[in-house]
């Protein structure tokens, strides 16, 4: 299995604190030694960092946890391989351009017969079930909705349809998902996913996996809203919300804009 | 204008020495302050690093120049913006997936009316003429050749056609190009591009832009072949070859496999 981490915020926010906790699980406090990756959105552009080495040993991961890259949406993943060799092309998150937007996708779980899902123009570079599913999903979105303008005019129908496609994946196995096109962050829970919104009044947060605490009151303004989504809670002293199987949440600038449960 | 750097090698080779020279020109010895990027191929996967900050000031660039990421193909670019704002989505190299391959593209020059080139399914994320041209070129390749298998069976026709498309761009302005699908490195000269092949017996190389010399004999085996392509020669004590306007060279594992001049 793997672990997921996502962030949606209403101001450019760095991921250093949460990422520091996550990367401990990549060969340190957790068994996810088979690579890691993170994508930060900055405007329409992205910065992607990935490595097939364990995140606890990775010099690139150390840079990411140290150097505050500010972003309103970020998606990260640490991998314990089940389908696909340990190499760079099998490392999440996966990225594709659709309609001039950078789409990013990370998956925790394993699916039976993902290779049977039909593909369109998007073709996997690597051999994971996860990238195959991403390519399938993008083709579905393009074929059904045709343009971002049409999505904007039919957002509820679009989000409901996304949940329907994610439900289809859940029927094939375990499909905890984080994905984004740079505007919204989508979190789908198949078995396990937690989220936490930090906003004023900010307090201290203490990592579960490393001896690190941050007083967010010192690093924020009263208007900041930052939501963090993770497979398992990253802090011990905050109240994380558990998502339910089959639940899709769409986050916009740190806040829930759409939520659908089974 | 901008500066390009590429590498094609028959063994995984790091780009630290050449990149150290290039990044000095990103706000140090050169005026290319508007961002930089580099893509390293590792198998079918890629590592991409980019920043809209000047490369001389970039902590990420410092990591790339210090940390030996070994690759058989790499493409880098430092930017002095002419078309498109200074931001991450306008930073070269650009990357797209076609046929399950990661295609990478970097451009030095400026084109009149690039926006008039028709696009297919590939849509620019940013606003540069360069990314528009890349999207146009990928659609041309896909429409004409349909699959990598068909390209493999018609390589000379494919490379000749690539030169023809590059010549078309050169008629619209300045189009010095480096691109790759992960197997070959393509270098097209519109006005200025130089290359240099290092092989046994290896000697010392001394950067023009920084006080740094390397004795490649200490870091190589006698079978290594490494070609570096750059807008301007990066070293003062080696014999760089100037490409001619309209020349396309295809490098395979550090060696020229196809070369066509006007």
């Amino acid at each position: 299995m793997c672990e997921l981490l996502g962030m949606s915020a209403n101001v450019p926010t760095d991921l250093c604190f949460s990422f520091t906790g996550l990367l401990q699980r990549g060969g340190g406090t957790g068994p996810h030694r088979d690579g890691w990756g993170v994508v930060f959105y900055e405007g329409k552009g992205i910065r992607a960092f990935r490595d097939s080495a364990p995140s606890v040993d990775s010099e690139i991961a150390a840079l990411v946890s140290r150097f505050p890259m500010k972003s309103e949406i970020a998606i990260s993943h640490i991998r314990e391989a089940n389908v696909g060799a340990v190499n760079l092309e099998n490392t999440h998150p996966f990225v594709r351009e659709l309609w001039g937007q950078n789409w990013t996708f990370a998956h925790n779980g394993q699916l039976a017969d993902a290779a049977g899902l039909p593909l369109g123009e998007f073709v996997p570079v690597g051999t994971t079930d996860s990238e195959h599913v991403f390519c399938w999903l993008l083709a579905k979105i393009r074929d059904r909705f045709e343009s971002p303008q049409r999505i904007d005019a039919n957002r509820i129908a679009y989000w409901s349809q996304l949940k329907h496609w994610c439900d289809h994946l859940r029927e094939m196995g375990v499909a905890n998902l984080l994905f984004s096109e740079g505007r919204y962050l989508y979190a789908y829970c198949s078995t396990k996913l937690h989220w936490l919104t930090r906003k004023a009044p900010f307090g201290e947060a203490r990592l579960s996996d490393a001896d690190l605490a941050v007083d967010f009151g010192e690093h924020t303004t009263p208007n900041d809203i930052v939501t963090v989504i993770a497979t398992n809670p990253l802090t011990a002293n905050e109240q994380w919300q558990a998502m339910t199987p089959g639940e899709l949440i769409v986050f916009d600038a740190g806040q829930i804009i759409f939520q659908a449960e089974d």
Side-chain angles (χ1 to χ4, degrees), chain A:
Chain A
M1 302 295 279
C2 310
E3 293 213 24
L4 296 168
L5 169 64
M7 184 190 72
S8 167
N10 68 345
V11 288
T13 302
D14 75 69
L15 194 66
C16 294
F17 178 74
S18 297
F19 188 77
T20 298
L22 184 75
L23 74 82
Q24 297 304 317
R25 299 177 183 173
T29 57
H32 313 88
R33 297 190 59 83
D34 300 325
W36 62 276
V38 59
V39 168
F40 298 95
Y41 282 88
E42 188 179 311
K44 296 184 72 182
I46 52 168
R47 297 176 197 275
F49 299 89
R50 68 188 83 231
D51 208 338
S52 50
S55 55
V56 286
D57 301 334
S58 167
E59 190 162 348
I60 305 171
L63 175 85
V64 173
S65 65
R66 194 177 67 234
F67 181 57
M69 278 163 283
K70 302 221 167 189
S71 184
E72 289 168 24
I73 295 180
I75 293 178
S76 181
H77 180 275
I78 54 175
R79 180 164 183 239
E80 189 184 0
N82 40 50
V83 177
V86 177
N87 57 36
L88 208 52
E89 63 264 33
N90 286 342
T91 303
H92 308 224
F94 303 102
V95 176
R96 288 291 188 286
E97 173 267 314
L98 167 61
W99 299 325
Q101 299 169 322
N102 282 308
W103 293 63
T104 301
F105 182 92
H107 169 215
N108 152 236
Q110 193 170 352
L111 301 171
D113 195 30
L117 293 169
L119 297 176
E121 300 281 5
F122 298 97
V123 178
V125 175
T127 54
T128 62
D129 53 355
S130 308
E131 191 189 12
H132 190 102
V133 160
F134 179 37
C135 291
W136 167 81
L137 183 63
L138 285 178
K140 284 281 192 195
I141 293 169
R142 181 159 69 186
D143 291 349
R144 178 71 62 99
F145 290 94
E146 292 174 355
S147 74
Q149 292 73 29
R150 192 148 162 221
I151 283 181
D152 283 348
N154 299 277
R155 292 194 306 179
I156 302 301
Y158 169 62
W159 293 332
S160 301
Q161 182 62 57
L162 280 184
K163 172 169 161 48
H164 178 74
W165 285 323
C166 293
D167 288 340
H168 180 62
L169 297 176
R170 186 161 63 106
E171 289 165 13
M172 301 165 61
V174 174
N176 298 298
L177 306 173
L178 288 179
F179 55 101
S180 180
E181 79 298 80
R183 166 123 189 237
Y184 302 111
L185 178 67
Y186 307 88
Y188 180 78
C189 176
S190 168
T191 57
K192 198 196 282 189
L193 213 47
H194 295 79
W195 62 273
L196 168 76
T197 298
R198 296 190 181 111
K199 57 187 177 184
F202 290 94
E204 187 188 72
R206 196 181 308 272
L207 285 182
S208 308
D209 296 80
D211 185 17
L212 184 64
V214 164
D215 181 354
F216 282 107
E218 295 175 3
H219 301 274
T220 50
T221 75
N223 297 325
D224 294 5
I225 300 174
V226 180
T227 292
V228 178
I229 305 108
T231 300
N232 292 296
L234 291 163
T235 57
N237 67 327
E238 296 176 293
Q239 194 63 45
W240 291 72
Q241 308 291 318
M243 290 177 67
T244 58
E247 183 176 8
L248 174 73
I249 304 183
V250 184
F251 294 97
D252 180 19
Q255 295 185 284
I256 292 175
I257 192 173
F258 179 83
Q259 186 168 20
E261 292 184 75
D262 264 1

